[in-house]
Amino acid sequence: MWSFLSKQPAISKLIARCDQLPARDRHALTALAFALLLAVLYFMVWRPAVDFHDRALSSRENASELLAWMEANESAIQALSADNTTAPGRVNRPLDGRALMSLVTRTAGEVDLALQRFEPSGDDAVRVWLDSVTFSDLAGWLEQLTTEHGIIIDQASMDRANDPGVVSVRLTLTI
């Protein structure tokens, strides 16, 4: 490789120029080049490797502490999990699109909201249109769907009506 580099015109000019320097300057230039090489190796290779090693050790220690905490609190976590499955206010998420559509129509009827139109949208979503409903009733119904049943409001489009507090809404609700 050295023979290939020495055949390059720019490199051969630098070598010729270096050869013309006094011996003391050549030694100083060699020492400077060696120091520069060491600095590049330190900052480009050694330091990043050490930093990566330190971060990996820290991450491993954090993971070990988390695992130890989880093992120590396993019974409490399982007790909380068991309590949530039997709690009366737990989320009753519908299993499929039909159950979602049934849930939406049933809960809308319970809060006296008249669905203008509704249709399935894929396997786990339903599109709903409501015209001239009060915003507070709509907001309460949507809050009930999200908190008690885990329904997600994917899209919502609201237009206000002439009466204050009355809106027309198009919703896409998903499981």
Side-chain angles (χ1 to χ4, degrees):
M1 183 169 149
W2 181 250
S3 63
F4 173 74
L5 285 176
S6 63
K7 291 180 183 177
Q8 299 296 322
I11 301 294
S12 58
K13 284 182 185 178
L14 284 175
I15 292 172
R17 198 164 176 198
C18 182
D19 288 341
Q20 292 176 353
L21 291 174
R24 187 173 180 180
D25 290 347
R26 274 190 303 224
H27 292 301
L29 187 61
T30 304
L32 181 63
F34 184 70
L36 185 62
L37 177 67
L38 287 178
V40 167
L41 285 176
Y42 177 77
F43 287 110
M44 299 292 281
V45 177
W46 182 257
R47 187 155 200 164
V50 169
D51 289 345
F52 176 77
H53 181 260
D54 292 344
R55 284 192 308 269
L57 284 178
S58 175
S59 176
R60 180 176 172 226
E61 289 174 10
N62 289 342
S64 298
E65 290 173 5
L66 178 61
L67 178 62
W69 181 86
M70 289 173 64
E71 288 173 346
N73 295 309
E74 181 178 10
S75 60
I77 293 170
Q78 288 177 348
L80 286 174
S81 176
D83 288 346
N84 282 342
T85 58
T86 59
R90 71 165 198 185
V91 175
N92 294 321
R93 185 179 294 264
L95 299 176
D96 59 7
R98 281 190 244 165
L100 174 63
M101 191 175 298
S102 173
L103 175 72
V104 167
T105 56
R106 180 178 53 80
T107 57
E110 290 173 358
V111 294
D112 295 327
L113 289 176
L115 300 178
Q116 198 68 23
R117 179 177 162 198
F118 58 93
E119 64 184 30
S121 176
D123 292 336
D124 60 351
V126 63
R127 279 183 252 167
V128 179
W129 286 263
L130 297 108
D131 287 333
S132 301
V133 296
T134 59
F135 181 78
S136 58
D137 292 342
L138 174 71
W141 177 60
L142 292 174
E143 178 69 20
Q144 175 189 2
L145 286 176
T146 56
T147 57
E148 293 179 14
H149 304 287
I151 305 300
I152 300 167
I153 303 168
D154 188 38
Q155 294 178 356
S157 172
M158 295 185 193
D159 297 320
R160 65 179 169 171
N162 293 334
D163 297 330
V166 177
V167 292
S168 294
V169 183
R170 181 179 162 253
L171 302 166
T172 302
L173 306 171
T174 61
I175 298 174

